[in-house]
Amino acid sequence: VETSLDTSRSQAEALDRADPLAPFRERFVIADPRLVYLDGNSLGRLPRATTQRLARVVADEWGAELIRAWDGWLDLPVRIGDLLATTLLGARPDEVILADSTTVNFHRLATAALDAQPDRRAIVTDRANFPTDRYTLEGIAEARGLEIRWLEARPNVVPDGGPGPADVSGALDEQVALVTLCHVDYRSAAIADMAAVNAAAHDAGALTLWDCCHSVGVIPIELDRSGADLAVGCTYKYLNAGPGAPAFLYVRRELQDRLRNPIQGWFGQRDQFAMGPSYEPRAGIAGWLVGTPPMLGLAAVDEGVRLVAEAGIGAIREKSIALTEYAIDLFDAWLSGAGFRLGSPRDAARRGAHVSVHRADADQLTRSLIAVGVVPDFRPPDGIRLGLSPLTTRFADVWDGLTRLRELAA
Amino acid sequence: VETSLDTSRSQAEALDRADPLAPFRERFVIADPRLVYLDGNSLGRLPRATTQRLARVVADEWGAELIRAWDGWLDLPVRIGDLLATTLLGARPDEVILADSTTVNFHRLATAALDAQPDRRAIVTDRANFPTDRYTLEGIAEARGLEIRWLEARPNVVPDGGPGPADVSGALDEQVALVTLCHVDYRSAAIADMAAVNAAAHDAGALTLWDCCHSVGVIPIELDRSGADLAVGCTYKYLNAGPGAPAFLYVRRELQDRLRNPIQGWFGQRDQFAMGPSYEPRAGIAGWLVGTPPMLGLAAVDEGVRLVAEAGIGAIREKSIALTEYAIDLFDAWLSGAGFRLGSPRDAARRGAHVSVHRADADQLTRSLIAVGVVPDFRPPDGIRLGLSPLTTRFADVWDGLTRLRELAA
């Protein structure tokens, strides 16, 4: 039985009415109700609670308590880490902290993994990885004379999914210290097969490092169960923690004694305020802290993680799949005949929370969309990325955005 | 002619009335007018303008403009860097950025200096340096098998000043890649002889890296004129940028092509949003950016630097000297006979903006002071550090604080 798609706006509105997560949109600041914001995967919206929390941190904590506020601030990187670990990352307490940027954390964990295996001289990774990961690895490999083994080119056009064991196995041998991939591809949204890649890497004696920027807060992640060794991810996308908010860093508990934080700073020091003569790392994940934690950003991460955890990652993933399915249905109805190609997997199980559509004039189309109040983002050379953030994006937004794109592309 | 000190509170009030910087205190949030806050060198007070700026960044930029706000955010790390460079650091435009934490920046610059001189295998530094610097250096030295040459123990009791060429010259030879010191000692406030140390280091072919955490915003710094190669410093002390605000990083212009940022991230990449296949650093100091800049913290740094620059570093230094002189006068009158010793230089030209006083029960005394509304900080083993921040600390605060200390110590 073939069902014909109802492409009316009223159908989108009906989907929104039936959406159990719809009330969560009211927990966010919606400054311009007409704006069709399809870029929550670049910068998530502002939670109302965050506005209040930041005002309190600024006025009541910094402004009034001054230095005494550190009593309440000191353990925040670990406390938020525990919440994030246990609600969204499939990790245990004392495996995750919030600290620094994704790039600095990625650099630290890659360095630590390589330092722990000095006889292994190769890194396996993918040219599809987010640029900052590739650039960081290039720098490390050059400084240490290591080999980077790039995965064989995988299909870029309508990929079935992200890298799996078949993609990495040819590159694995006893020379490989580290396998590092993005959990969700920043362009196609293809999901890597985390558990199978971990197993393949471990069979070869290598460690794994996952970049979860495009999955954290929108896809259930099972770092522990999947056997992931190390992971990082940002908080300003689906965790809605604001521009440049601190990133997370995960080190599997069993590795915490074996690996060494390559940037030894005073917040990683045991008995920090004794200011003793030599570095002795704090036990557990706190030993991966470095400098003074950024309190404004951390407070925003705390609110963002709480809100996502409250909605529940299961319900979020369910709505996320419905949103991307709906977007692909409208794509098929309106855009596939207009010279566009779909750049994201059709299999929902292998697809993250955004949908990429491609046409040669994508750059110009993106600018035209922004001019008419629809904000996606452009990814060179020819991709328009539609980010559908389940707590704030409505089915009507998908309809409105694709309707305008269809009009502009005609 | 011996003048007798007027130790009355009315004399302190008279000094405040004559203080040309007194009106600046009204530019800050003073939540509890009775609080005697003598810890602005750990966490500076909240500027009123910062409260407003942060509310705007949160509501109007993040909340309303969303991703489009990056148009105005992207160059902020360099713009604030230029302002800081030219008003407070004695540096040129395109030599300073705001990024990451002091520790991460210190690690990056030390690493870059060592990478540039692989044949030199020693670092000269001081056990008096702030712990995070020492810990970071230890980690680097251990990972690379380098030698750390600690300066011969300098006098800890009433030091004449921070390290000078006589202290470092014995440690310098053709093996030394890097000399790194704190500009102002975090315990004694002794000022190092930056120009003379730079000259001695350069004579030996070494580079210099200065930690300016306890001098930036309160002492005129002449990075360029003094011949400093590299510097870092935090912004949450005398620049009043809030807890964990991003730090600054300085690379002398002539070294920017020779040194290489060891953490290659996407914000240091030329044509960043082309997301090209290989890392190619941005020209100038922007090539030292790494990950996504923390916008809330940066906005607070912007306000903090503007306020200090508006007051003028000359007037700030003048008041700072008057405050510390006054504190030492009261110390001599009230505390030196009560078992205390002074831990800061008596020569104002060699003394930064805080005053350290020592007695065996300093830890307990600090807690008692806090209990009666006076907030200094304790530094092990026996120091009470009185931080006098010229834009917010009044002569009456010095009088009140030392009066309470005298009472408690009796």
Side-chain angles (χ1 to χ4, degrees):
Chain A
V1 182
E2 197 169 85
T3 57
S4 72
L5 177 70
D6 181 349
T7 60
S8 68
R9 195 174 196 280
S10 61
Q11 170 63 9
E13 290 162 7
L15 291 168
D16 284 320
R17 279 193 301 275
D19 169 20
L21 291 182
F24 274 90
R25 185 172 156 96
E26 289 158 33
R27 308 280 288 275
F28 291 82
V29 171
I30 308 291
D32 175 4
R34 296 158 311 173
L35 181 73
V36 179
Y37 190 58
L38 303 177
D39 208 8
N41 58 331
S42 280
L43 178 64
R45 283 186 182 272
L46 166 64
R48 291 180 185 277
T50 301
T51 305
Q52 305 306 316
R53 170 76 173 268
L54 286 170
R56 286 201 307 276
V57 170
V58 172
D60 303 345
E61 299 178 15
W62 173 14
E65 295 179 41
L66 290 158
I67 194 71
R68 298 165 295 182
W70 272 107
D71 290 346
W73 291 337
L74 270 177
D75 69 349
L76 206 54
V78 173
R79 269 197 287 139
I80 305 172
D82 284 350
L83 178 66
L84 181 60
T86 54
T87 57
L88 301 177
L89 295 179
R92 292 162 285 179
D94 200 27
E95 293 192 319
V96 173
I97 48 167
L98 280 294
D100 302 300
S101 65
T102 303
T103 308
V104 167
N105 290 341
F106 185 88
H107 181 92
R108 291 202 280 142
L109 292 184
T111 299
L114 297 167
D115 283 344
Q117 306 163 91
D119 297 337
R120 291 174 170 248
R121 311 293 300 165
I123 299 166
V124 171
T125 191
D126 189 357
R127 290 214 182 273
N129 283 4
F130 190 74
T132 212
D133 300 3
R134 294 187 274 106
Y135 302 155
T136 305
L137 292 172
E138 275 186 88
I140 294 172
E142 190 183 330
R144 295 169 173 240
L146 303 179
E147 175 193 1
I148 296 184
R149 297 184 185 169
W150 301 99
L151 298 190
E152 296 287 318
R154 293 177 300 105
N156 277 320
V157 184
V158 203
D160 294 335
D167 300 295
V168 299
S169 58
L172 287 169
D173 61 27
E174 75 293 337
Q175 272 304 302
V176 176
L178 180 67
V179 177
T180 178
L181 297 171
C182 290
H183 185 206
V184 168
D185 188 287
Y186 76 104
R187 289 175 304 189
S188 70
I191 304 177
D193 190 344
M194 187 184 275
V197 169
N198 287 333
H202 292 165
D203 281 348
L207 294 170
T208 57
L209 165 56
W210 291 94
D211 177 339
C212 296
C213 284
H214 279 276
S215 57
V216 62
V218 77
I219 292 180
I221 303 177
E222 292 290 349
L223 291 176
D224 279 345
R225 194 181 308 168
S226 77
D229 297 309
L230 306 164
V232 298
C234 79
T235 61
Y236 49 75
K237 299 179 186 295
Y238 300 105
L239 294 177
N240 307 299
F248 82 80
L249 172 153
Y250 157 90
V251 179
R252 172 176 284 274
R253 197 177 286 172
E254 291 73 15
L255 287 169
Q256 288 175 4
D257 287 339
R258 183 175 157 213
L259 301 190
R260 179 177 154 281
N261 181 355
I263 308 185
Q264 299 182 171
W266 73 314
F267 268 75
Q269 167 78 350
R270 195 185 303 262
D271 202 1
Q272 175 184 6
F273 294 101
M275 301 191 163
S278 297
Y279 186 73
E280 191 190 348
R282 291 168 72 177
I285 197 67
W288 291 81
L289 292 170
V290 179
T292 308
M295 277 307 138
L296 301 183
L298 278 173
V301 177
D302 198 14
E303 294 301 328
V305 173
R306 282 167 194 268
L307 193 51
V308 171
E310 180 189 336
I313 195 67
I316 288 172
R317 175 64 175 156
E318 200 169 318
K319 179 172 176 187
S320 172
I321 288 174
L323 283 167
T324 54
E325 290 282 347
Y326 183 62
I328 291 172
D329 285 345
L330 294 180
F331 172 90
D332 288 339
W334 295 344
L335 300 177
S336 62
F340 286 89
R341 66 177 175 81
L342 185 68
S344 298
R346 286 186 174 272
D347 176 0
R350 306 298 305 275
R351 185 179 66 234
H354 62 273
V355 172
S356 247
V357 303
H358 297 258
R359 203 171 85 165
D361 57 349
D363 192 2
Q364 180 54 49
L365 282 171
T366 302
R367 269 176 270 166
S368 301
L369 280 168
I370 292 170
V372 298
V374 176
V375 178
D377 65 19
F378 167 67
R379 281 294 170 260
D382 64 353
I384 301 174
R385 210 172 55 165
L386 309 168
L388 312 176
S389 193
L391 297 187
T392 56
T393 306
R394 297 166 301 190
F395 291 90
D397 291 321
V398 176
W399 193 94
D400 289 343
L402 286 171
T403 297
R404 306 254 174 93
L405 178 55
R406 176 195 194 186
E407 292 162 1
L408 289 166
Chain B
V1 182
E2 198 170 84
T3 57
S4 72
L5 177 70
D6 181 349
T7 59
S8 68
R9 194 173 197 280
S10 61
Q11 169 62 10
E13 290 162 7
L15 290 168
D16 284 321
R17 280 194 301 277
D19 168 19
L21 290 182
F24 273 90
R25 185 172 155 97
E26 289 158 33
R27 308 280 289 275
F28 291 82
V29 172
I30 308 292
D32 175 4
R34 295 157 312 172
L35 182 73
V36 179
Y37 190 58
L38 303 178
D39 208 8
N41 57 329
S42 281
L43 179 63
R45 283 186 182 272
L46 166 63
R48 289 180 185 278
T50 301
T51 305
Q52 305 306 316
R53 171 75 173 268
L54 286 170
R56 286 200 309 274
V57 170
V58 172
D60 302 344
E61 298 178 17
W62 174 14
E65 295 179 42
L66 290 157
I67 193 71
R68 299 165 294 182
W70 273 107
D71 290 345
W73 291 337
L74 270 177
D75 70 348
L76 206 55
V78 173
R79 268 197 289 139
I80 306 172
D82 284 350
L83 178 66
L84 180 60
T86 53
T87 58
L88 301 177
L89 294 179
R92 292 162 285 178
D94 201 27
E95 292 191 320
V96 174
I97 49 168
L98 280 294
D100 302 300
S101 66
T102 303
T103 308
V104 167
N105 290 341
F106 185 87
H107 181 93
R108 291 202 280 143
L109 293 184
T111 299
L114 297 166
D115 282 344
Q117 306 162 91
D119 297 337
R120 292 174 171 247
R121 310 294 300 166
I123 299 166
V124 171
T125 190
D126 190 356
R127 291 215 182 271
N129 283 4
F130 190 75
T132 211
D133 300 1
R134 294 187 274 106
Y135 302 156
T136 305
L137 292 173
E138 275 186 85
I140 294 172
E142 192 184 327
R144 295 170 173 239
L146 304 180
E147 174 194 1
I148 297 184
R149 298 182 184 172
W150 301 99
L151 298 190
E152 296 286 319
R154 291 176 301 106
N156 278 319
V157 185
V158 203
D160 295 336
D167 300 295
V168 299
S169 58
L172 287 169
D173 60 27
E174 75 293 336
Q175 272 303 304
V176 176
L178 180 67
V179 177
T180 178
L181 297 170
C182 291
H183 186 206
V184 168
D185 186 286
Y186 76 104
R187 289 175 303 188
S188 70
I191 304 177
D193 190 343
M194 186 183 276
V197 168
N198 287 333
H202 292 165
D203 281 349
L207 294 170
T208 57
L209 165 56
W210 291 93
D211 177 340
C212 297
C213 283
H214 278 277
S215 56
V216 62
V218 76
I219 292 181
I221 303 177
E222 292 290 349
L223 291 176
D224 279 345
R225 196 181 305 168
S226 77
D229 296 309
L230 307 164
V232 298
C234 79
T235 60
Y236 49 75
K237 299 179 187 293
Y238 299 105
L239 294 177
N240 307 299
F248 81 79
L249 173 153
Y250 158 89
V251 179
R252 171 177 285 274
R253 197 177 288 173
E254 291 73 14
L255 287 169
Q256 288 174 4
D257 287 339
R258 183 176 158 212
L259 301 191
R260 179 177 153 282
N261 180 357
I263 307 185
Q264 298 182 170
W266 72 315
F267 268 75
Q269 167 78 350
R270 194 185 305 261
D271 203 1
Q272 174 184 6
F273 294 101
M275 302 192 161
S278 299
Y279 186 72
E280 190 190 349
R282 291 168 71 177
I285 196 68
W288 291 80
L289 292 169
V290 179
T292 309
M295 277 307 137
L296 302 183
L298 278 173
V301 177
D302 198 13
E303 294 300 328
V305 172
R306 282 168 195 268
L307 194 50
V308 171
E310 180 189 336
I313 194 66
I316 287 172
R317 175 64 174 155
E318 199 169 319
K319 179 172 176 188
S320 172
I321 289 174
L323 282 167
T324 54
E325 290 282 346
Y326 183 61
I328 291 173
D329 285 344
L330 294 180
F331 172 90
D332 287 339
W334 295 344
L335 299 177
S336 62
F340 286 89
R341 66 176 174 81
L342 184 68
S344 298
R346 286 185 174 272
D347 177 359
R350 306 298 304 275
R351 186 178 65 234
H354 61 273
V355 171
S356 247
V357 303
H358 298 258
R359 204 170 84 164
D361 57 350
D363 193 2
Q364 180 54 50
L365 282 171
T366 301
R367 269 176 270 165
S368 302
L369 279 168
I370 292 171
V372 298
V374 176
V375 178
D377 66 18
F378 167 66
R379 282 294 171 261
D382 64 354
I384 301 174
R385 209 172 55 163
L386 308 168
L388 312 177
S389 193
L391 297 186
T392 55
T393 306
R394 296 167 301 191
F395 291 90
D397 292 320
V398 176
W399 193 94
D400 289 344
L402 286 171
T403 296
R404 308 254 173 93
L405 179 55
R406 176 196 194 186
E407 292 162 0
L408 290 166

